[in-house]
Amino acid sequence: MISRRALELATAVLTGGFGVAVVVQSLDNGIGWSSAGVDAGTFPLLTGTIIVLGSLYNLVRGVLPVASLANVPIAITRIELGRLAGLFVPAAIFVAAIPLAGIYVASAVYVFAVLAIPRHQSVPRALGVAAVTALALYVVFERMFQVSLPHGALAAALGF
């Protein structure tokens, strides 16, 4: 279904794009030395550059015809792709829901969905674990560390 070569090329392109985004954003933060020391964007610039270089290396290795695992015709089957989607899709929905619902509500819904939908836990137990997770996040970050996590548009609409 999907060849190892295609997976390697797609991964190299995705990680390269991420590296480029890190480099561009670090330029906005400023790179180099200032009177206070190293500017805020210097370390991300170096990290992004390393990611881009590694991605370019993997891209070249994926393109060159060599006798390696890259020539394996099928690397992932439909069943494996379904399992992978079962991990990725809920995580992507969780991240997309944070600006709208806030991290506490999104976390609770994510934990509930991961536990209850594939029937790993009963619905009441999944609800309890989801509520405890959201409460624990709130207590640890908002109260103990006094770090405000994203509350989202829902909390803003409710006046929080």
Side-chain angles (χ1 to χ4, degrees):
M1 180 169 171
I2 298 175
S3 70
R4 172 80 181 240
R5 178 176 300 251
L7 287 175
E8 287 181 4
L9 293 174
T11 303
V13 169
L14 287 173
T15 56
F18 173 74
V20 168
V22 170
V23 167
V24 169
Q25 191 61 38
S26 69
L27 294 174
D28 290 342
N29 291 335
I31 58 171
W33 291 92
S34 67
S35 60
V38 178
D39 282 338
T42 303
F43 180 71
L45 175 77
L46 295 173
T47 304
T49 303
I50 291 169
I51 292 170
V52 169
L53 292 174
S55 297
L56 287 173
Y57 173 78
N58 288 333
L59 189 64
V60 169
R61 283 196 63 213
V63 170
L64 293 178
V66 294
S68 70
L69 289 177
N71 296 323
V72 175
I74 296 178
I76 189 167
T77 63
R78 285 190 187 275
I79 294 170
E80 293 167 337
L81 190 60
R83 289 179 185 162
L84 183 63
L87 292 173
F88 177 74
V89 171
I93 292 170
F94 165 68
V95 171
I98 291 173
L100 301 172
I103 198 158
Y104 306 116
V105 174
S107 296
V109 171
Y110 174 73
V111 169
F112 174 77
V114 168
L115 293 177
I117 291 174
R119 300 203 172 132
H120 292 296
Q121 299 288 330
S122 66
V123 171
R125 186 175 206 154
L127 282 171
V129 171
V132 168
T133 299
L135 182 63
L137 282 172
Y138 177 77
V139 168
V140 168
F141 287 101
E142 298 277 342
R143 296 296 179 198
M144 294 175 73
F145 293 140
Q146 296 181 354
V147 174
S148 182
L149 295 179
H151 292 166
L154 177 64
L158 296 175
F160 291 103

